Amino acid sequence: MDALAGLLDGPRARGAFLLRSVLDPPWSLRIEDRAPLTLISLVRGEAWVLPQDGAAVCLRAGDVAVVRGPAPYLVADAPDTPPQIVIHPGQRSTTPDGEELCETMDLGVRTWGDRPDGATVMFTGTYSMDGEVSRRLLEALPTLLVLTADSWDCPLVALLSEEIVRDEPGQEVFLDRLLDLLLIAIVRAWFSRPEAEAPTWYLALADPVVGQALRLLHDHPAHPWSVATIAAKTGVSRAALARRFTDLVGEPPMAYLTGWRLSLAADLLREPEATVGSVAGKVGYGSAFALSTAFKRVRGIRPQEHRAGV
């Protein structure tokens, strides 16, 4: 597994919020859900995305956007349309005055809006929990990225658009996996562009030594790695590996490994049956105490607090 594959293996939507919106102008949504990541795809019509910081971007049919939270942003039919609906944490929707709208705007299975034949149709997929998308991947993405319909071709957009309104056995899990795949496709397409300013760890994949080191760490995070053992596996000296890895990735090998192990731990701790002790063994720590100490030092909270969503 290479570093990109490892990071993209992190997105695991769990009961993700997926919604098909059908709206007639004028309309404007103020998104205050504090979600770490949201995908928006235009099926019909036109929509503007206005981040809190940054330029407004117009989406047209076939375009997709990824918005990185938790800062609020607007999605509207035009940049100057005032907010009419506020989306709160938990995907609760109200008017700006606080009047509840979820039931009054319900149009059927995962469909919501002001009229069934509205001029604008879009679907939204929201990762609502920290840990569902790796922190390193989030930090590599801009606040708002857009792929236009004429700049990439991905059948997943049409497939998700069709499946989002179906109510079949296992449909929620199926949609979660489709959302994950679509995010992976978008990130790969984005990183391939010069304007994306791909992160150092992505560029390092092309290096024969550092790329191999990254694959080793991602494939075997629980192995008792040291700079010496990584260097031996990649056929260079410890000094050469440490220098080359730091230059290309932006941090020393063991610091990178710690971050990767703790990212894995953060995801695993969300599993219902997981314990700190069981997770510790899977990510290379000898005891629950050792993992808790590292987790607290790097992330500022104890694993139990992370698991509880503190």
Side-chain angles (χ1 to χ4, degrees):
M1 181 188 296
D2 62 37
L4 179 60
L7 289 171
L8 293 178
D9 190 46
R12 289 188 181 90
R14 298 172 177 88
F17 181 75
L18 285 133
L19 187 69
R20 177 176 176 264
S21 298
V22 187
L23 300 160
D24 235 9
W27 58 270
S28 179
L29 315 176
R30 179 170 173 81
I31 313 300
E32 297 182 355
D33 60 5
R34 300 193 60 79
L37 199 73
T38 298
L39 278 66
I40 301 170
S41 177
L42 253 290
V43 178
R44 184 172 75 223
E46 186 174 284
W48 285 81
V49 182
L50 297 87
Q52 182 169 272
D53 299 309
V57 176
C58 182
L59 303 181
R60 296 179 175 85
D63 295 351
V64 295
V66 174
V67 186
R68 181 166 59 86
Y73 58 97
L74 293 177
V75 183
D77 71 300
D80 56 352
T81 302
Q84 301 161 345
I85 300 169
V86 181
I87 308 299
H88 302 272
Q91 303 305 318
R92 174 174 151 262
S93 59
T94 71
T95 66
D97 295 329
E99 179 185 347
E100 297 287 341
L101 292 173
C102 289
E103 290 187 9
T104 58
M105 299 187 71
D106 187 357
L107 295 177
V109 178
R110 300 184 192 87
T111 302
W112 175 92
D114 51 22
R115 50 181 284 189
D117 58 348
T120 304
V121 178
M122 63 182 174
F123 72 76
T124 306
T126 301
Y127 290 84
S128 58
M129 290 173 53
D130 288 330
E132 290 185 315
V133 184
S134 74
R135 181 180 300 180
R136 189 181 294 270
L137 177 57
L138 284 174
E139 290 173 350
L141 299 176
T143 302
L144 172 63
L145 74 83
V146 174
L147 296 177
T148 58
D150 60 0
S151 66
W152 80 312
D153 182 22
C154 180
L156 292 170
V157 175
L159 181 58
L160 187 53
S161 181
E162 291 176 6
E163 292 290 339
I164 200 170
V165 295
R166 292 187 179 177
D167 192 15
E168 305 287 342
Q171 191 71 2
E172 284 194 6
V173 175
F174 181 57
L175 290 171
D176 284 349
R177 298 292 76 79
L178 276 181
L179 181 62
D180 290 342
L181 290 171
L182 180 56
L183 175 59
I184 291 170
I186 291 170
V187 171
R188 289 197 309 188
W190 175 252
F191 281 169
S192 69
R193 299 180 172 210
E195 68 269 23
E197 298 182 358
T200 53
W201 53 259
Y202 179 78
L203 299 175
L205 296 173
D207 184 84
V209 172
V210 177
Q212 183 182 357
L214 287 168
R215 284 187 287 273
L216 288 169
L217 300 183
H218 279 265
D219 281 348
H220 309 287
H223 185 81
W225 293 110
S226 66
V227 175
T229 57
I230 301 170
K233 288 285 189 179
T234 56
V236 297
S237 69
R238 287 181 295 175
L241 173 69
R243 181 175 59 252
R244 195 160 172 172
F245 195 104
T246 303
D247 287 347
L248 292 180
V249 178
E251 60 184 330
M254 302 313 292
Y256 182 91
L257 177 59
T258 296
W260 174 235
R261 283 172 167 171
L262 294 181
S263 291
L264 288 176
D267 281 346
L268 291 171
L269 285 165
R270 299 287 191 187
E271 300 296 332
E273 304 302 320
T275 65
V276 178
S278 66
V279 170
K282 293 178 181 178
V283 299
Y285 288 91
S287 66
F289 177 77
L291 173 59
S292 295
T293 301
F295 206 94
K296 173 71 173 177
R297 184 183 71 250
V298 174
R299 293 191 166 228
I301 60 173
R302 296 181 297 116
Q304 295 89 340
E305 294 171 322
H306 166 79
R307 183 171 185 172
V310 174

